[in-house]
Amino acid sequence: MSSVLTYPRTAYREDHEMLRETVRRFLERECVPKQAQWDRDGKVDRETWLKAGREGLLCTGIDPEWGGAGGDFGHAAVIIEEISYAGVSGLGFGLHSDVVAPYIQRLGTEAQKRQWLPKCVTGEVMLAIAMSEPGAGSDLKAIRTTARREGDEYVINGAKTFISNGLNCDLVVVVAKTDPEAGAKGVSLILVEATREGFRRGRKLDKMGQAASDTAEMFFDDVRVPVSNLLGEENKGFAYLMQELAQERFVIAVNAAAKMEAMLAETTRYVKERKVFGQTVFDFQNTRFKLAEIKARTTAVRIMVDEYLREHMARKLTVEEAAMAKLYVTEELSKALDELLQLHGGYGYMMEYPITRAFVDTRVMRIYGGTSEVMKELISRKM
């Protein structure tokens, strides 16, 4: 992707850049031509996941012992960026590889890791995490789904919504109350196979953007799983979520920064070609000044994200820093896309244009992974 930024990127090593070329070719060959079909189907086909697995593009951070490449977060960030640069929408690789799989690698027993992680790397098993509920979004302490212990089994009852990879997933990390009276101290994480009796998927949710992202409801009606499906320790789930949510939020920030950069480059190209009143749109001072403002803000975003990327590759990124990155980058992206879309005139309202898809696809970034308001609350607690 051509860029209008001049900031030198030094966070990545040569092995990261080699992966970037592989990812770029894969997206151009296997994903971009299928985007329209995915949008119509409301989900990405499984063969694309299997091909990504064969090329080593899934779960790059999983240890070689479990079939992965043992990469650092820089490898994940390269994949996230290239998907954003390519304009591919609805591909659930990031959630699968960089949000859910780390729970299993960090908290799973040897048996759990041996059973699931190699198939996550190959794409044979697709992962989802079931947190949000109809009455509980960012407030995870308010979840009502329960997992009642009966002998050597948990009996799970409840409903979940806004579950990404919800239609395709084979394994779900379910956030449930194992001690309903204990609030946040009664939350556990439990692995639930999609083949379990009593588990069913609801409707595919009709979203404003990301048509190819299979976001669905889930229902658990007396779903029985063995106690061995518990992930980590019982009633420690809330603490686990708080630790892993930092990476989820930074994933969103990395994605948003790349999209901001890509749409600035795309809009600059467009206004230099589009003619109005006998001159290009770029020839108007208002256009040049607006692009200059957005370039300055995009550069500030890039510097922030790359600095935090270095920290996270060294496993030093804090919960507060991840919250600041998500808050600042997604809010700046939202403002920039509105201004860039305006420079397209009427064509900015047509879904065939990249700016329009970006506008609707990225609005959710200020919501999922914790709303901007929740990010402010987390940041303010450290002040």
Side-chain angles (χ1 to χ4, degrees), residues 182-198:
K185 295 182 178 180
V187 175
S188 297
L189 307 183
I190 300 174
L191 296 170
V192 177
E193 302 91 337
T195 54
R196 291 280 172 184
E197 186 176 350

Side-chain angles (χ1 to χ4, degrees), residues 16-32:
H16 294 132
E17 296 303 338
M18 289 174 61
L19 176 63
R20 188 183 298 279
E21 288 302 314
T22 300
V23 177
R24 191 171 295 168
R25 289 194 299 269
F26 176 84
L27 294 170
E28 289 173 354
R29 184 181 70 250
E30 301 292 344
C31 299
V32 173

Side-chain angles (χ1 to χ4, degrees), residues 32 35 39 43 187 209 243-244 250 253 283 285 294 322 359 370:
V32 173
Q35 184 68 64
D39 290 345
K43 60 182 180 180
V187 175
Q243 292 163 1
E244 294 297 337
F250 190 59
D283 288 331
Q285 186 184 68
I294 297 172
F359 186 83

Side-chain angles (χ1 to χ4, degrees), residues 297 300-301 304 323-333:
R297 285 152 42 195
V301 160
M304 179 190 205
M324 288 193 291
K326 182 184 185 297
L327 172 66
Y328 181 69
V329 179
T330 59
E331 292 289 338
E332 284 297 319
L333 172 66

Side-chain angles (χ1 to χ4, degrees), residues 95 100 126-135 144-146 156-175 190-196 198-205 214-223:
L95 176 77
V100 189
M126 186 186 296
L127 299 172
I129 185 165
M131 287 191 253
S132 296
E133 298 184 1
R144 300 177 64 182
T145 298
T146 59
I156 303 172
N157 283 281
K160 299 289 184 178
T161 193
F162 309 143
I163 309 304
S164 298
N165 291 349
L167 295 178
N168 272 339
C169 66
D170 305 288
L171 184 69
V172 189
V173 176
V174 178
V175 182
I190 300 174
L191 296 170
V192 177
E193 302 91 337
T195 54
R196 291 280 172 184
F199 169 79
R200 61 188 173 91
R201 309 171 204 263
R203 63 192 175 98
K204 179 191 180 299
L205 300 175
D214 61 325
T215 309
E217 301 169 315
M218 287 182 176
F219 300 97
F220 303 84
D221 301 311
D222 287 335
V223 177

Side-chain angles (χ1 to χ4, degrees), residues 34 59 117 148 164 171 196 228 295 336 356 381:
K34 299 178 183 176
C59 300
L117 288 179
R148 186 180 72 255
S164 298
L171 184 69
R196 291 280 172 184
S228 59
K295 179 176 179 177
T356 320
R381 289 176 186 175

Side-chain angles (χ1 to χ4, degrees), residues 35-36 38 66 83 106 112 121 162 179 193 196 205 253 299 301 309 316 324 335 337:
Q35 184 68 64
W38 292 347
W66 314 112
I83 291 171
R106 189 168 73 86
Q112 288 171 338
V121 173
F162 309 143
D179 186 351
E193 302 91 337
R196 291 280 172 184
L205 300 175
T299 301
V301 160
L309 175 59
K316 294 180 180 179
M324 288 193 291
K335 289 185 286 186
L337 289 180

